[in-house]
Amino acid sequence: MEKFTPQILRFDSLPSTNIEAARRAAEGAADGLCVVAGEQTAGRGRLQRQWFSPKDAGLYFSVVLRPKFEQRIWPLLTLMAAIAVRDALLEACALETDIKWPNDILVNEKKLCGILAETVETTSGRAVIVGIGINVKRNSFPVDLEGVATSIETETEKTVESAELLEPLLNSFSKHYETLQLAGGDENIVREVCARSSYANSKRVRVDDGEGELVGMTRGLESDGSLRVETDGGEIRTIRTGDVTLVRAS
Ligand code: BT5
């Protein structure tokens, strides 16, 4: 089994920790490299979206992974990271959060954390960069996102420093990464996500997969992390990537 042993590299400021980690992976950095920045000047979400990352307001970091298991289940790395974040926030801040497939951590439907997993080709094989951004302070996003975003400080009304969160998070990350590598690890991670996510089952959602939209009820996850959605016509659709939004009863 590949044991996850974090080796931490800290920067005051970077364009994006994912870009820096990918660059170092391409140069041969080992599994476990963890790039942390005090701010990101070009923090990224999925599909080239922006991730607001003001100075000392959030925890911004990326880890290099070189998984030995089959690529079919690599999409589970995003969900595994979500479980790690959820567990660490509960342990370190007593904060209950929800996981929204595929990459969001929410509190009362507002986004507290986003995860961005990307693959990168390197001389020693394909690697995965898992980037995690957590809003720690109230000022970690602009006011116009207040309706959809939140922070640890807002939710707990306590002062937490980003640096204090990193260790519990990496411990939890390491534990779940090991789980994923054991026999049946994919099913275990899926089970853990389903137990921690109100979105995994029986939630009416709108899904935009980039090619079109559909509305239906969530019906759990496949063993590769795809989301199952039952349409109003009773057909089960398997969603590999996309944006999920809650459909509120009118
Ligand atoms: C994500 O994308 O949620 C992935 C975010 C990953 C950020 C980490 S920070 C460390 C590492 N280095 C990087 O450069 N990135 C990773 P997505 O699901 O596409 O959501 C992006 C959307 O979230 C944006 O379009 C905004 O609407 C919203 N958003 C941006 N900044 C936010 C923030 N700080 N808090 C809450 N929502 C935000």
Side-chain angles (χ1 to χ4, degrees), residues 15-19 35 40 42-54 59-62 102-104 110-118 129-135 140-142 145 148-150 242-243:
S16 154
T17 56
N18 262 41
I19 294 175
V35 175
Q40 297 184 115
R44 293 189 302 159
R46 294 173 304 152
L47 305 169
Q48 309 305 321
R49 295 174 191 146
Q50 186 180 3
W51 184 260
F52 294 99
S53 319
L59 177 61
Y60 319 115
F61 74 99
S62 303
N103 69 321
D104 290 350
K110 292 184 175 179
K111 186 154 168 167
L112 181 99
C113 162
I115 297 163
L116 175 66
E118 301 176 292
I129 310 301
V130 180
I132 298 178
I134 302 179
N135 298 329
S140 44
F141 48 85
L145 284 187
V148 293
T150 192
D243 286 306

Side-chain angles (χ1 to χ4, degrees), residues 6-78:
Q7 193 217 329
I8 299 172
L9 263 183
R10 285 177 202 279
F11 294 83
D12 286 341
S13 176
L14 280 176
S16 154
T17 56
N18 262 41
I19 294 175
E20 183 65 23
R23 195 177 66 74
R24 288 176 182 262
E27 287 172 355
D31 186 283
L33 178 72
C34 174
V35 175
V36 191
E39 73 171 346
Q40 297 184 115
T41 53
R44 293 189 302 159
R46 294 173 304 152
L47 305 169
Q48 309 305 321
R49 295 174 191 146
Q50 186 180 3
W51 184 260
F52 294 99
S53 319
K55 193 161 184 51
D56 300 328
L59 177 61
Y60 319 115
F61 74 99
S62 303
V63 298
V64 174
L65 300 176
R66 295 186 179 278
K68 298 283 184 285
F69 46 81
E70 45 172 345
Q71 288 202 20
R72 182 186 69 84
I73 62 168
W74 285 19
L76 286 175
L77 289 166
T78 303

